[in-house]
Amino acid sequence: MTNAARPLHIPVLRDQVVAALAPRDGAVFVDGTFGLGGYAGALLEAADCRVYGIDRDPDAIRRAEAMVTRYAGRLILIEGRFGEMDRLLADRGVDGVDGVALDLGVSSPQLDEAGRGFSFRADGPLDMRMEQAGPSAADLVNEAGEAELADIVFHLGEERMARRVARAIVAARAEAPIERTGRLASIVRSVVPKSKDGIDPATRTFQALRLHVNDELGELDRGLAAAERALKPAGRLAVVTFHSLEDRQVKRFLKARCGEASQPSRHMPVAATAPRAPSFRLIGRKPVVADYAEIAANPRARSAKLRVAERTDAPAWEEAA
């Protein structure tokens, strides 16, 4: 194990994720949302293992040059999406891994750098693109129809006043294109009252736009299935979520793959297809959450949930066409 200093960045539930993955000498892991390399660094410090760090954000890959040097030969970075991890690994001659960590949502640099346009806390260009390519959040708010905007804000932001928000956006863009985070936040705040919990009224709308621009829930589905294909028997999957949409999706996937999907009504016809062997078994019935000390040190940990499952020796399930 290297004596190099640990990375300064400590991701949410880091120690719990590392404990769940149980690093050991010679093992191979994937940090599918590399970011600042917090999970990867902790795994590399815990054992003489190898970690493949995947990130769709080119800035994350560039920032990690020193870390790659520090863990020479043991940290391999890949620019790409974790939803394609099995293919990305196969391209590098890796046919199976012992653990996969996924820390969903945005990274600290993405939130902290106003120029990336993810946050309403500092004014910047309305961008939100993790890959820095393709349509931006500005494209979305200036081109989508009112009904489409309302659906996005309601379903991905769980914003009860989604129609009011969409109507205000369409009215504002008729005067001038909405190109800055500050202006969009002001538009939303003008029609969504402050909540008693102190959460900024713009929070849910910004979340919805970010999820849509980056297809984060679609990528999560693809990532869970890719991890299932990449993991060896007894390999572990550890997923940290930060809001209910993500957590429900992970919970639903693992429940199905563990053979615990809800049974159909006795009044419904029995499916003609044979049941599939469980490809995972749950590690713990309830999600792991941060303790008071971690929440005090990092308020973002308040909403975090960690779910862990272990791969069985059953074949990966084929996705429905």
Side-chain angles (χ1 to χ4, degrees):
M1 184 171 68
T2 179
N3 291 321
R6 291 176 182 269
L8 293 176
H9 174 67
I10 301 177
V12 171
L13 297 172
R14 180 198 62 186
D15 294 344
Q16 295 89 329
V17 168
V18 172
L21 295 182
R24 62 189 183 278
D25 292 355
V28 179
F29 298 96
V30 172
D31 182 348
T33 47
F34 183 77
L36 288 173
Y39 294 127
L43 290 166
L44 291 163
E45 289 290 329
D48 186 13
C49 58
R50 191 162 80 253
V51 175
Y52 288 84
I54 300 173
D55 206 296
R56 63 198 287 191
D57 187 340
D59 283 354
I61 302 300
R62 284 192 289 269
R63 275 193 304 265
E65 290 180 4
M67 194 171 173
V68 171
T69 301
R70 183 189 313 157
Y71 299 107
R74 297 202 295 131
L75 174 61
I76 301 92
L77 295 187
I78 304 172
E79 184 177 335
R81 297 186 174 209
F82 64 72
E84 300 176 343
M85 75 175 76
D86 53 330
R87 180 187 64 78
L88 295 171
L89 292 167
D91 288 347
R92 289 155 179 82
V94 180
D95 59 3
V97 299
D98 300 288
V100 173
L102 298 176
D103 176 14
L104 305 180
V106 288
S107 67
S108 296
Q110 288 169 337
L111 282 175
D112 295 341
E113 296 172 13
R116 298 300 304 274
F118 283 95
S119 177
F120 48 78
R121 301 192 185 283
D123 185 49
L126 186 57
D127 194 318
M128 300 192 188
R129 296 172 298 175
M130 291 182 176
E131 286 161 308
Q132 302 180 38
S136 68
D139 295 325
L140 178 61
V141 300
N142 287 298
E143 296 173 9
E146 183 176 326
E148 182 184 1
L149 284 171
D151 282 346
I152 290 170
V153 174
F154 180 76
H155 292 293
L156 297 183
E158 300 181 297
E159 172 58 74
R160 293 183 298 106
M161 299 182 182
R163 290 183 180 178
R164 188 183 297 180
V165 170
R167 192 178 309 120
I169 288 173
V170 171
R173 77 189 189 192
E175 299 176 4
I178 303 169
E179 298 176 341
R180 308 286 296 183
T181 57
R183 184 170 177 230
L184 176 61
S186 296
I187 293 166
V188 176
R189 291 174 188 139
S190 72
V191 294
V192 177
K194 292 182 179 180
S195 59
K196 295 179 181 179
D197 57 14
I199 295 176
D200 192 291
T203 300
R204 290 180 289 273
T205 296
F206 270 66
Q207 171 188 297
L209 297 175
R210 190 202 84 218
L211 288 172
H212 183 85
V213 165
N214 297 289
D215 187 24
E216 291 181 45
L217 297 185
E219 186 65 9
L220 175 54
D221 272 339
R222 293 185 289 273
L224 294 171
E228 177 190 31
R229 295 189 295 269
L231 283 164
K232 300 175 183 176
R236 290 201 172 173
L237 171 64
V239 186
V240 178
T241 62
F242 289 91
H243 58 72
S244 58
L245 292 174
E246 295 170 337
D247 184 59
R248 282 199 298 267
Q249 202 158 312
V250 174
K251 183 178 180 180
R252 186 166 58 244
F253 173 88
L254 292 178
K255 192 173 183 180
R257 293 310 203 263
C258 291
E260 298 180 7
S262 57
Q263 297 299 314
S265 165
R266 62 188 178 88
H267 301 293
M268 297 290 289
V270 178
T273 57
R276 290 179 277 192
S279 57
F280 282 97
R281 71 177 186 88
L282 284 176
I283 304 298
R285 305 302 303 181
K286 293 183 178 181
V288 176
V289 297
D291 59 22
Y292 291 114
E294 182 170 1
I295 293 171
N298 181 4
R300 185 169 177 253
R302 184 181 293 109
S303 59
K305 292 182 179 180
L306 165 64
R307 295 188 185 272
V308 182
E310 185 173 277
R311 192 70 169 83
T312 69
D313 58 4
W317 290 20
E318 293 184 9
E319 296 299 301

